[in-house]
Amino acid sequence: MGGRHEPERPMPLAIPPELIARLAGAQRIAVLTGAGISAESGIPTFRDALTGLWARYDPLQLATPEGFARDPALVWDWYAERRRRIAQVQPNLGHLALAQMEQRYPHFTLVTQNVDGLHQRAGSRTVIELHGNIGRVKCSRELTVVAAYAEGESPPRCPCGAWLRPDVVWFGELLPEQAMEQAEAAARNCEVFFTIGTSAEVYPAAELPMTARAAGAAVVEINPDKTPLTRHAHFVLHGPAGVVLPQLLARMPAAA
Ligand code: OAD
């Protein structure tokens, strides 16, 4: 006869004591997240071969200024569908753990490549969005964010007459300058730099962990798979963010 059905408990993670010691003594933490931290919320990543977003769509057709100029309605509708999907999901334990971690340190900077806004919905207060936010819309000519617009036409138009577009960074576009400057400063000044759920293949974001390493920070990678960064990280915690981060949080100093 089997015993009581116990909910699946994740295996306790072997967290290196040196990492616990570094975290206990640190004041300044920086974090870079990628699509992997939203995977457990049900949002496809980009490069996962089978399920990834790019496996089903041609990114050069959808996430570039040329793609938008060629077929603005297709691009607008694709982002509208992604926006609808994101509105239906919830932040996961990884997002929530990072929001709580922020409370534990006097200087905690969260930099994300994600455009889904889940860090903010999880309660993170300082979020630097390197690639914009799918929930925001801007004029494709004036580049100013538009708070409200009339649905109907795809894409809707700005009062100036130009198409509206998602306020996200497309391939070939520059990252928001201030966001990048803040992210680089955080990487240069932190004592521990976490890189979580990113394939570390897209620059300049992928340079941040190396900037932190060069400045003397301990670099911690959290990812179920290896990435080009893995061999440069001081600590590698192989596992999903939603499992690893809550266990790491439990070993961190109590709220400041
Ligand atoms: P990718 O799809 O390139 O990489 C996702 C990473 O998350 C992979 O390394 C996975 O192994 C890992 N992963 C999957 N599930 C995970 C989990 N549960 N917990 C932790 N990690 C997990 O996504 P990004 O690295 O974010 O840019 O891609 C970077 C940029 O490339 C995106 O911001 C986007 C794309 O082009 C723009 O749109 C400008």
Side-chain angles (χ1 to χ4, degrees):
M1 278 288 280
R4 257 171 4 101
H5 174 68
E6 285 291 330
E8 185 83 11
R9 285 183 192 287
M11 288 292 290
L13 194 74
I15 300 176
E18 314 90 271
L19 175 55
I20 301 298
R22 287 295 290 253
L23 290 169
Q27 297 286 307
R28 298 185 309 282
I29 306 285
V31 181
L32 171 68
T33 61
I37 196 162
S38 296
E40 289 158 272
S41 293
I43 297 182
T45 62
F46 291 90
R47 290 172 180 81
D48 284 352
L50 297 180
T51 59
L53 222 41
W54 298 152
R56 296 193 299 283
Y57 299 95
D58 172 4
L60 296 183
Q61 213 194 1
L62 292 162
T64 57
E66 297 75 17
F68 183 69
R70 189 169 41 249
D71 192 340
L74 172 72
V75 174
W76 176 267
D77 291 346
W78 184 60
Y79 277 91
E81 173 52 26
R82 283 177 67 192
R83 215 181 347 258
R84 271 191 292 277
R85 288 186 58 165
I86 288 169
Q88 288 159 2
V89 304
Q90 296 301 322
N92 63 61
L93 292 176
H95 296 108
L96 295 168
L98 286 177
Q100 289 184 51
M101 224 180 272
E102 182 180 33
Q103 310 299 319
R104 308 280 179 100
Y105 290 93
H107 305 283
F108 186 95
T109 306
L110 173 57
V111 181
T112 188
Q113 300 171 90
N114 300 339
V115 298
D116 57 34
L118 287 180
H119 284 304
Q120 292 93 325
R121 285 177 52 195
S124 289
R125 290 184 302 198
T126 310
V127 181
I128 297 174
E129 294 177 314
L130 292 184
H131 293 164
N133 186 312
I134 202 168
R136 280 196 307 269
V137 166
K138 69 182 179 185
C139 173
S140 58
R141 180 190 298 152
E142 301 161 314
L143 302 184
T144 44
V145 170
V146 170
Y149 53 89
E151 296 278 357
E153 207 184 351
S154 235
R157 287 186 185 276
C158 171
C160 80
W163 297 128
L164 294 178
R165 56 163 282 185
D167 185 19
V168 298
V169 175
W170 281 333
F171 288 107
E173 292 188 319
L174 291 175
L175 272 62
E177 198 173 329
Q178 188 187 18
M180 201 53 214
E181 284 167 3
Q182 289 170 339
E184 282 165 345
R188 279 196 303 275
N189 296 305
C190 68
E191 296 160 274
V192 181
F193 188 97
F194 286 94
T195 170
I196 305 170
T198 180
S199 58
E201 290 178 15
V202 173
Y203 285 80
E207 191 60 41
L208 292 168
M210 298 308 286
T211 301
R213 191 180 198 284
V219 174
V220 187
E221 182 177 57
I222 299 175
N223 194 317
D225 298 336
K226 286 188 180 312
T227 72
L229 183 80
T230 304
R231 63 194 178 91
H232 300 293
H234 299 98
F235 300 99
V236 179
L237 303 178
H238 268 309
V243 170
V244 172
L245 283 168
Q247 294 193 35
L248 204 54
L249 179 72
R251 308 287 296 274
M252 286 186 170

